[in-house]
mmCIF file of all heavy atoms in Angstrom:
data_model
loop_
_atom_site.group_PDB
_atom_site.id
_atom_site.type_symbol
_atom_site.label_atom_id
_atom_site.label_comp_id
_atom_site.label_asym_id
_atom_site.label_seq_id
_atom_site.Cartn_x
_atom_site.Cartn_y
_atom_site.Cartn_z
ATOM 1 N N ALA U 25 0.831 -1.221 -0.010
ATOM 2 C CA ALA U 25 0.003 0.006 -0.017
ATOM 3 C C ALA U 25 0.899 1.254 0.007
ATOM 4 O O ALA U 25 1.957 1.318 0.651
ATOM 5 C CB ALA U 25 -0.923 -0.002 1.190
ATOM 6 N N SER U 26 0.393 2.283 -0.706
ATOM 7 C CA SER U 26 1.100 3.555 -0.767
ATOM 8 C C SER U 26 0.272 4.651 -0.145
ATOM 9 O O SER U 26 -0.960 4.771 -0.462
ATOM 10 C CB SER U 26 1.383 3.924 -2.270
ATOM 11 O OG SER U 26 2.209 2.989 -2.882
ATOM 12 N N GLU U 27 0.865 5.427 0.770
ATOM 13 C CA GLU U 27 0.130 6.486 1.402
ATOM 14 C C GLU U 27 -0.109 7.632 0.401
ATOM 15 O O GLU U 27 0.752 7.938 -0.386
ATOM 16 C CB GLU U 27 0.862 7.007 2.622
ATOM 17 C CG GLU U 27 0.107 8.015 3.426
ATOM 18 C CD GLU U 27 0.688 8.361 4.762
ATOM 19 O OE1 GLU U 27 1.825 7.840 5.039
ATOM 20 O OE2 GLU U 27 0.081 9.130 5.514
ATOM 21 N N VAL U 28 -1.323 8.154 0.404
ATOM 22 C CA VAL U 28 -1.706 9.236 -0.465
ATOM 23 C C VAL U 28 -2.219 10.442 0.344
ATOM 24 O O VAL U 28 -2.557 10.304 1.526
ATOM 25 C CB VAL U 28 -2.791 8.834 -1.459
ATOM 26 C CG1 VAL U 28 -2.269 7.744 -2.400
ATOM 27 C CG2 VAL U 28 -4.068 8.370 -0.757
ATOM 28 N N GLY U 29 -2.221 11.605 -0.334
ATOM 29 C CA GLY U 29 -2.722 12.791 0.355
ATOM 30 C C GLY U 29 -3.611 13.573 -0.533
ATOM 31 O O GLY U 29 -4.084 13.151 -1.553
ATOM 32 N N ARG U 30 -3.843 14.870 -0.185
ATOM 33 C CA ARG U 30 -4.780 15.703 -0.911
ATOM 34 C C ARG U 30 -4.257 15.984 -2.329
ATOM 35 O O ARG U 30 -5.049 16.152 -3.252
ATOM 36 C CB ARG U 30 -4.996 16.988 -0.161
ATOM 37 C CG ARG U 30 -6.213 17.780 -0.589
ATOM 38 C CD ARG U 30 -6.278 19.108 0.142
ATOM 39 N NE ARG U 30 -6.277 18.936 1.564
ATOM 40 C CZ ARG U 30 -7.310 18.609 2.283
ATOM 41 N NH1 ARG U 30 -8.463 18.405 1.751
ATOM 42 N NH2 ARG U 30 -7.190 18.492 3.622
ATOM 43 N N ASP U 31 -2.923 15.976 -2.497
ATOM 44 C CA ASP U 31 -2.389 16.297 -3.816
ATOM 45 C C ASP U 31 -2.551 15.237 -4.825
ATOM 46 O O ASP U 31 -2.905 15.520 -5.989
ATOM 47 C CB ASP U 31 -0.870 16.627 -3.647
ATOM 48 C CG ASP U 31 -0.642 17.893 -2.859
ATOM 49 O OD1 ASP U 31 -1.538 18.727 -2.775
ATOM 50 O OD2 ASP U 31 0.461 18.021 -2.323
ATOM 51 N N ASN U 32 -2.334 13.918 -4.418
ATOM 52 C CA ASN U 32 -2.384 12.871 -5.407
ATOM 53 C C ASN U 32 -3.619 12.043 -5.400
ATOM 54 O O ASN U 32 -3.842 11.167 -6.293
ATOM 55 C CB ASN U 32 -1.112 11.934 -5.287
ATOM 56 C CG ASN U 32 -0.897 11.486 -3.861
ATOM 57 O OD1 ASN U 32 -1.600 11.865 -2.950
ATOM 58 N ND2 ASN U 32 0.045 10.571 -3.697
ATOM 59 N N ALA U 33 -4.539 12.241 -4.391
ATOM 60 C CA ALA U 33 -5.826 11.567 -4.386
ATOM 61 C C ALA U 33 -6.827 12.461 -3.710
ATOM 62 O O ALA U 33 -7.364 12.169 -2.648
ATOM 63 C CB ALA U 33 -5.705 10.221 -3.625
ATOM 64 N N PRO U 34 -7.138 13.616 -4.361
ATOM 65 C CA PRO U 34 -7.957 14.640 -3.716
ATOM 66 C C PRO U 34 -9.382 14.213 -3.320
ATOM 67 O O PRO U 34 -9.804 14.541 -2.208
ATOM 68 C CB PRO U 34 -7.992 15.767 -4.772
ATOM 69 C CG PRO U 34 -7.705 15.118 -6.061
ATOM 70 C CD PRO U 34 -6.738 13.976 -5.767
ATOM 71 N N ASP U 35 -10.043 13.454 -4.176
ATOM 72 C CA ASP U 35 -11.423 13.096 -3.853
ATOM 73 C C ASP U 35 -11.447 12.093 -2.721
ATOM 74 O O ASP U 35 -12.241 12.248 -1.752
ATOM 75 C CB ASP U 35 -12.105 12.439 -5.103
ATOM 76 C CG ASP U 35 -12.402 13.498 -6.166
ATOM 77 O OD1 ASP U 35 -12.357 14.707 -5.875
ATOM 78 O OD2 ASP U 35 -12.719 13.112 -7.315
ATOM 79 N N LEU U 36 -10.586 11.086 -2.785
ATOM 80 C CA LEU U 36 -10.518 10.091 -1.740
ATOM 81 C C LEU U 36 -10.129 10.708 -0.419
ATOM 82 O O LEU U 36 -10.795 10.447 0.634
ATOM 83 C CB LEU U 36 -9.518 8.976 -2.135
ATOM 84 C CG LEU U 36 -9.274 7.892 -1.106
ATOM 85 C CD1 LEU U 36 -10.518 7.097 -0.798
ATOM 86 C CD2 LEU U 36 -8.132 6.969 -1.539
ATOM 87 N N TYR U 37 -9.111 11.543 -0.441
ATOM 88 C CA TYR U 37 -8.663 12.150 0.815
ATOM 89 C C TYR U 37 -9.722 13.037 1.421
ATOM 90 O O TYR U 37 -9.922 12.989 2.629
ATOM 91 C CB TYR U 37 -7.360 12.951 0.516
ATOM 92 C CG TYR U 37 -6.665 13.445 1.779
ATOM 93 C CD1 TYR U 37 -5.746 12.591 2.422
ATOM 94 C CD2 TYR U 37 -6.943 14.666 2.354
ATOM 95 C CE1 TYR U 37 -5.064 12.993 3.564
ATOM 96 C CE2 TYR U 37 -6.290 15.077 3.502
ATOM 97 C CZ TYR U 37 -5.380 14.257 4.101
ATOM 98 O OH TYR U 37 -4.781 14.686 5.259
ATOM 99 N N SER U 38 -10.370 13.820 0.641
ATOM 100 C CA SER U 38 -11.336 14.756 1.147
ATOM 101 C C SER U 38 -12.600 13.986 1.702
ATOM 102 O O SER U 38 -13.186 14.413 2.710
ATOM 103 C CB SER U 38 -11.795 15.782 0.070
ATOM 104 O OG SER U 38 -12.429 15.099 -1.024
ATOM 105 N N ASP U 39 -12.935 12.895 1.029
ATOM 106 C CA ASP U 39 -14.065 12.062 1.500
ATOM 107 C C ASP U 39 -13.736 11.487 2.896
ATOM 108 O O ASP U 39 -14.550 11.451 3.821
ATOM 109 C CB ASP U 39 -14.428 10.989 0.550
ATOM 110 C CG ASP U 39 -15.113 11.561 -0.700
ATOM 111 O OD1 ASP U 39 -15.592 12.726 -0.666
ATOM 112 O OD2 ASP U 39 -15.201 10.805 -1.701
ATOM 113 N N VAL U 40 -12.507 10.960 3.019
ATOM 114 C CA VAL U 40 -12.111 10.396 4.326
ATOM 115 C C VAL U 40 -12.071 11.460 5.356
ATOM 116 O O VAL U 40 -12.566 11.277 6.514
ATOM 117 C CB VAL U 40 -10.683 9.708 4.207
ATOM 118 C CG1 VAL U 40 -10.203 9.281 5.582
ATOM 119 C CG2 VAL U 40 -10.748 8.526 3.226
ATOM 120 N N GLU U 41 -11.591 12.647 5.007
ATOM 121 C CA GLU U 41 -11.473 13.781 5.940
ATOM 122 C C GLU U 41 -12.897 14.185 6.389
ATOM 123 O O GLU U 41 -13.157 14.387 7.644
ATOM 124 C CB GLU U 41 -10.749 14.945 5.332
ATOM 125 C CG GLU U 41 -10.503 16.111 6.222
ATOM 126 C CD GLU U 41 -9.693 17.196 5.519
ATOM 127 O OE1 GLU U 41 -10.009 17.488 4.323
ATOM 128 O OE2 GLU U 41 -8.796 17.703 6.122
ATOM 129 N N GLU U 42 -13.775 14.318 5.487
ATOM 130 C CA GLU U 42 -15.150 14.742 5.770
ATOM 131 C C GLU U 42 -15.880 13.727 6.714
ATOM 132 O O GLU U 42 -16.453 14.123 7.705
ATOM 133 C CB GLU U 42 -15.951 14.927 4.524
ATOM 134 C CG GLU U 42 -17.452 15.236 4.737
ATOM 135 C CD GLU U 42 -18.288 15.127 3.421
ATOM 136 O OE1 GLU U 42 -17.690 15.017 2.368
ATOM 137 O OE2 GLU U 42 -19.518 15.142 3.536
ATOM 138 N N LEU U 43 -15.765 12.471 6.354
ATOM 139 C CA LEU U 43 -16.482 11.439 7.134
ATOM 140 C C LEU U 43 -15.807 11.260 8.523
ATOM 141 O O LEU U 43 -16.474 10.944 9.469
ATOM 142 C CB LEU U 43 -16.473 10.106 6.344
ATOM 143 C CG LEU U 43 -17.343 10.178 5.060
ATOM 144 C CD1 LEU U 43 -17.070 8.923 4.223
ATOM 145 C CD2 LEU U 43 -18.851 10.216 5.449
ATOM 146 N N ALA U 44 -14.490 11.442 8.608
ATOM 147 C CA ALA U 44 -13.802 11.306 9.874
ATOM 148 C C ALA U 44 -14.302 12.395 10.841
ATOM 149 O O ALA U 44 -14.454 12.161 12.048
ATOM 150 C CB ALA U 44 -12.288 11.351 9.686
ATOM 151 N N GLN U 45 -14.493 13.572 10.282
ATOM 152 C CA GLN U 45 -15.031 14.686 11.076
ATOM 153 C C GLN U 45 -16.391 14.402 11.597
ATOM 154 O O GLN U 45 -16.732 14.646 12.770
ATOM 155 C CB GLN U 45 -14.946 15.991 10.288
ATOM 156 C CG GLN U 45 -13.605 16.550 10.018
ATOM 157 C CD GLN U 45 -13.628 17.781 9.126
ATOM 158 O OE1 GLN U 45 -14.662 18.172 8.618
ATOM 159 N NE2 GLN U 45 -12.417 18.403 8.942
ATOM 160 N N ILE U 46 -17.275 13.886 10.708
ATOM 161 C CA ILE U 46 -18.624 13.467 11.110
ATOM 162 C C ILE U 46 -18.605 12.447 12.206
ATOM 163 O O ILE U 46 -19.398 12.466 13.154
ATOM 164 C CB ILE U 46 -19.404 12.960 9.917
ATOM 165 C CG1 ILE U 46 -19.629 14.079 8.900
ATOM 166 C CG2 ILE U 46 -20.772 12.366 10.341
ATOM 167 C CD1 ILE U 46 -20.245 13.674 7.559
ATOM 168 N N ALA U 47 -17.625 11.470 12.094
ATOM 169 C CA ALA U 47 -17.542 10.375 13.046
ATOM 170 C C ALA U 47 -16.907 10.798 14.342
ATOM 171 O O ALA U 47 -16.862 10.051 15.317
ATOM 172 C CB ALA U 47 -16.732 9.260 12.431
ATOM 173 N N GLY U 48 -16.305 11.999 14.381
ATOM 174 C CA GLY U 48 -15.625 12.481 15.547
ATOM 175 C C GLY U 48 -14.313 11.841 15.773
ATOM 176 O O GLY U 48 -13.864 11.605 16.886
ATOM 177 N N LEU U 49 -13.597 11.488 14.658
ATOM 178 C CA LEU U 49 -12.336 10.757 14.672
ATOM 179 C C LEU U 49 -11.178 11.662 14.217
ATOM 180 O O LEU U 49 -11.389 12.547 13.369
ATOM 181 C CB LEU U 49 -12.384 9.552 13.844
ATOM 182 C CG LEU U 49 -13.287 8.412 14.303
ATOM 183 C CD1 LEU U 49 -13.420 7.361 13.183
ATOM 184 C CD2 LEU U 49 -12.760 7.750 15.539
ATOM 185 N N PRO U 50 -9.992 11.431 14.733
ATOM 186 C CA PRO U 50 -8.822 12.112 14.119
ATOM 187 C C PRO U 50 -8.681 11.601 12.657
ATOM 188 O O PRO U 50 -9.083 10.511 12.341
ATOM 189 C CB PRO U 50 -7.635 11.579 14.996
ATOM 190 C CG PRO U 50 -8.268 11.031 16.205
ATOM 191 C CD PRO U 50 -9.643 10.558 15.852
ATOM 192 N N MET U 51 -8.071 12.431 11.841
ATOM 193 C CA MET U 51 -7.864 12.071 10.440
ATOM 194 C C MET U 51 -6.915 10.863 10.351
ATOM 195 O O MET U 51 -5.754 10.937 10.753
ATOM 196 C CB MET U 51 -7.260 13.252 9.660
ATOM 197 C CG MET U 51 -7.022 13.004 8.202
ATOM 198 S SD MET U 51 -8.486 12.585 7.261
ATOM 199 C CE MET U 51 -7.833 12.181 5.667
ATOM 200 N N PRO U 52 -7.383 9.732 9.816
ATOM 201 C CA PRO U 52 -6.519 8.614 9.594
ATOM 202 C C PRO U 52 -5.610 8.780 8.372
ATOM 203 O O PRO U 52 -5.859 9.647 7.568
ATOM 204 C CB PRO U 52 -7.470 7.423 9.361
ATOM 205 C CG PRO U 52 -8.678 8.074 8.720
ATOM 206 C CD PRO U 52 -8.755 9.474 9.312
ATOM 207 N N ARG U 53 -4.541 8.003 8.338
ATOM 208 C CA ARG U 53 -3.721 7.982 7.136
ATOM 209 C C ARG U 53 -4.516 7.258 6.023
ATOM 210 O O ARG U 53 -5.328 6.409 6.341
ATOM 211 C CB ARG U 53 -2.418 7.252 7.394
ATOM 212 C CG ARG U 53 -1.403 8.018 8.346
ATOM 213 C CD ARG U 53 -0.298 7.145 8.774
ATOM 214 N NE ARG U 53 -0.792 6.139 9.726
ATOM 215 C CZ ARG U 53 -0.333 4.843 9.761
ATOM 216 N NH1 ARG U 53 0.540 4.448 8.886
ATOM 217 N NH2 ARG U 53 -0.844 4.016 10.655
ATOM 218 N N VAL U 54 -4.295 7.617 4.816
ATOM 219 C CA VAL U 54 -5.025 7.071 3.650
ATOM 220 C C VAL U 54 -4.093 6.394 2.715
ATOM 221 O O VAL U 54 -3.053 6.925 2.371
ATOM 222 C CB VAL U 54 -5.787 8.209 2.930
ATOM 223 C CG1 VAL U 54 -6.681 7.598 1.779
ATOM 224 C CG2 VAL U 54 -6.704 8.982 3.863
ATOM 225 N N TYR U 55 -4.438 5.170 2.312
ATOM 226 C CA TYR U 55 -3.566 4.340 1.485
ATOM 227 C C TYR U 55 -4.328 3.813 0.292
ATOM 228 O O TYR U 55 -5.559 3.545 0.391
ATOM 229 C CB TYR U 55 -2.996 3.157 2.259
ATOM 230 C CG TYR U 55 -1.934 3.507 3.296
ATOM 231 C CD1 TYR U 55 -2.295 4.005 4.540
ATOM 232 C CD2 TYR U 55 -0.578 3.389 2.994
ATOM 233 C CE1 TYR U 55 -1.330 4.317 5.462
ATOM 234 C CE2 TYR U 55 0.401 3.747 3.900
ATOM 235 C CZ TYR U 55 0.015 4.194 5.156
ATOM 236 O OH TYR U 55 1.004 4.540 6.086
ATOM 237 N N ILE U 56 -3.653 3.652 -0.785
ATOM 238 C CA ILE U 56 -4.236 2.951 -1.976
ATOM 239 C C ILE U 56 -3.329 1.683 -2.232
ATOM 240 O O ILE U 56 -2.122 1.736 -2.171
ATOM 241 C CB ILE U 56 -4.177 3.844 -3.230
ATOM 242 C CG1 ILE U 56 -5.175 5.035 -3.020
ATOM 243 C CG2 ILE U 56 -4.540 3.034 -4.457
ATOM 244 C CD1 ILE U 56 -5.208 5.975 -4.197
ATOM 245 N N ILE U 57 -4.039 0.576 -2.439
ATOM 246 C CA ILE U 57 -3.400 -0.706 -2.657
ATOM 247 C C ILE U 57 -3.406 -1.011 -4.164
ATOM 248 O O ILE U 57 -4.450 -0.910 -4.813
ATOM 249 C CB ILE U 57 -4.149 -1.841 -1.931
ATOM 250 C CG1 ILE U 57 -4.151 -1.515 -0.398
ATOM 251 C CG2 ILE U 57 -3.529 -3.197 -2.168
ATOM 252 C CD1 ILE U 57 -5.108 -2.394 0.403
ATOM 253 N N PRO U 58 -2.263 -1.347 -4.764
ATOM 254 C CA PRO U 58 -2.221 -1.672 -6.182
ATOM 255 C C PRO U 58 -2.813 -3.010 -6.522
ATOM 256 O O PRO U 58 -2.084 -3.904 -6.998
ATOM 257 C CB PRO U 58 -0.712 -1.579 -6.490
ATOM 258 C CG PRO U 58 -0.040 -2.019 -5.228
ATOM 259 C CD PRO U 58 -0.921 -1.462 -4.104
ATOM 260 N N GLU U 59 -4.068 -3.184 -6.261
ATOM 261 C CA GLU U 59 -4.801 -4.448 -6.478
ATOM 262 C C GLU U 59 -6.054 -4.128 -7.272
ATOM 263 O O GLU U 59 -6.771 -3.141 -7.056
ATOM 264 C CB GLU U 59 -5.207 -5.096 -5.182
ATOM 265 C CG GLU U 59 -4.132 -5.904 -4.466
ATOM 266 C CD GLU U 59 -4.163 -7.328 -4.845
ATOM 267 O OE1 GLU U 59 -5.024 -7.717 -5.693
ATOM 268 O OE2 GLU U 59 -3.360 -8.097 -4.321
ATOM 269 N N GLN U 60 -6.331 -5.009 -8.244
ATOM 270 C CA GLN U 60 -7.584 -4.845 -9.069
ATOM 271 C C GLN U 60 -8.788 -5.451 -8.322
ATOM 272 O O GLN U 60 -9.935 -5.081 -8.653
ATOM 273 C CB GLN U 60 -7.404 -5.482 -10.417
ATOM 274 C CG GLN U 60 -6.291 -4.806 -11.240
ATOM 275 C CD GLN U 60 -6.412 -3.262 -11.257
ATOM 276 O OE1 GLN U 60 -7.467 -2.685 -11.568
ATOM 277 N NE2 GLN U 60 -5.340 -2.607 -10.873
ATOM 278 N N ALA U 61 -8.574 -6.305 -7.394
ATOM 279 C CA ALA U 61 -9.687 -6.850 -6.566
ATOM 280 C C ALA U 61 -10.334 -5.746 -5.796
ATOM 281 O O ALA U 61 -9.621 -5.000 -5.109
ATOM 282 C CB ALA U 61 -9.189 -7.990 -5.661
ATOM 283 N N PRO U 62 -11.645 -5.578 -5.839
ATOM 284 C CA PRO U 62 -12.271 -4.475 -5.101
ATOM 285 C C PRO U 62 -12.467 -4.792 -3.602
ATOM 286 O O PRO U 62 -13.165 -5.700 -3.228
ATOM 287 C CB PRO U 62 -13.663 -4.361 -5.786
ATOM 288 C CG PRO U 62 -13.955 -5.764 -6.293
ATOM 289 C CD PRO U 62 -12.602 -6.405 -6.634
ATOM 290 N N ASN U 63 -11.758 -4.089 -2.763
ATOM 291 C CA ASN U 63 -11.834 -4.321 -1.322
ATOM 292 C C ASN U 63 -11.259 -3.130 -0.617
ATOM 293 O O ASN U 63 -10.665 -2.206 -1.225
ATOM 294 C CB ASN U 63 -11.102 -5.605 -0.904
ATOM 295 C CG ASN U 63 -11.964 -6.528 -0.059
ATOM 296 O OD1 ASN U 63 -12.595 -6.030 0.876
ATOM 297 N ND2 ASN U 63 -12.042 -7.764 -0.377
ATOM 298 N N ALA U 64 -11.396 -3.159 0.705
ATOM 299 C CA ALA U 64 -10.909 -2.061 1.573
ATOM 300 C C ALA U 64 -10.823 -2.581 3.007
ATOM 301 O O ALA U 64 -11.487 -3.560 3.375
ATOM 302 C CB ALA U 64 -11.857 -0.853 1.530
ATOM 303 N N PHE U 65 -9.948 -1.916 3.780
ATOM 304 C CA PHE U 65 -9.857 -2.271 5.226
ATOM 305 C C PHE U 65 -9.359 -1.090 6.004
ATOM 306 O O PHE U 65 -8.827 -0.134 5.464
ATOM 307 C CB PHE U 65 -9.005 -3.501 5.437
ATOM 308 C CG PHE U 65 -7.569 -3.349 5.024
ATOM 309 C CD1 PHE U 65 -6.639 -2.737 5.876
ATOM 310 C CD2 PHE U 65 -7.118 -3.817 3.802
ATOM 311 C CE1 PHE U 65 -5.282 -2.636 5.554
ATOM 312 C CE2 PHE U 65 -5.747 -3.687 3.413
ATOM 313 C CZ PHE U 65 -4.851 -3.056 4.321
ATOM 314 N N ALA U 66 -9.512 -1.163 7.273
ATOM 315 C CA ALA U 66 -8.967 -0.199 8.245
ATOM 316 C C ALA U 66 -7.974 -0.933 9.135
ATOM 317 O O ALA U 66 -8.135 -2.143 9.405
ATOM 318 C CB ALA U 66 -10.044 0.461 9.068
ATOM 319 N N THR U 67 -6.968 -0.240 9.607
ATOM 320 C CA THR U 67 -5.994 -0.862 10.507
ATOM 321 C C THR U 67 -5.452 0.224 11.472
ATOM 322 O O THR U 67 -5.704 1.379 11.303
ATOM 323 C CB THR U 67 -4.851 -1.533 9.701
ATOM 324 O OG1 THR U 67 -3.985 -2.238 10.601
ATOM 325 C CG2 THR U 67 -4.043 -0.498 8.920
ATOM 326 N N GLY U 68 -4.682 -0.255 12.456
ATOM 327 C CA GLY U 68 -4.151 0.665 13.446
ATOM 328 C C GLY U 68 -4.610 0.321 14.819
ATOM 329 O O GLY U 68 -5.679 -0.240 15.054
ATOM 330 N N ARG U 69 -3.768 0.643 15.800
ATOM 331 C CA ARG U 69 -4.031 0.150 17.184
ATOM 332 C C ARG U 69 -5.098 0.949 17.901
ATOM 333 O O ARG U 69 -5.652 0.554 18.910
ATOM 334 C CB ARG U 69 -2.753 0.138 17.998
ATOM 335 C CG ARG U 69 -2.063 1.467 18.221
ATOM 336 C CD ARG U 69 -0.744 1.264 19.011
ATOM 337 N NE ARG U 69 -0.076 2.511 19.292
ATOM 338 C CZ ARG U 69 0.791 3.044 18.501
ATOM 339 N NH1 ARG U 69 1.119 2.419 17.369
ATOM 340 N NH2 ARG U 69 1.459 4.169 18.829
ATOM 341 N N ASP U 70 -5.319 2.243 17.448
ATOM 342 C CA ASP U 70 -6.341 3.083 18.103
ATOM 343 C C ASP U 70 -6.676 4.211 17.155
ATOM 344 O O ASP U 70 -6.036 4.371 16.092
ATOM 345 C CB ASP U 70 -5.849 3.632 19.471
ATOM 346 C CG ASP U 70 -4.568 4.457 19.343
ATOM 347 O OD1 ASP U 70 -4.521 5.347 18.488
ATOM 348 O OD2 ASP U 70 -3.666 4.179 20.129
#
C-alpha cells in the first residue's frame, strides 16, 4: 500500500477527511493498494 494525500488523491482524501469529522475521529492515514480486486480495510491500534 502507498500512502496518499490531498495532492495525489484529492477526492478520496477529502471524503475520508469529511467522514472522519462526522464520526468524531482524528484524520486517519489514507492508502491505496495496487490491487484490481475491489476491497478495503482499516488498520491501526487506536
Side-chain angles (χ1 to χ4, degrees):
S26 299
E27 187 169 3
V28 297
R30 198 184 305 278
D31 293 338
N32 51 353
D35 289 346
L36 175 63
Y37 190 89
S38 64
D39 287 345
V40 174
E41 185 176 44
E42 175 191 347
L43 292 168
Q45 290 175 355
I46 294 172
L49 292 170
M51 179 63 184
R53 290 168 290 142
V54 183
Y55 288 83
I56 293 179
I57 301 168
E59 279 269 2
Q60 297 312 306
N63 230 313
F65 63 82
T67 186
R69 64 181 182 271
D70 59 49

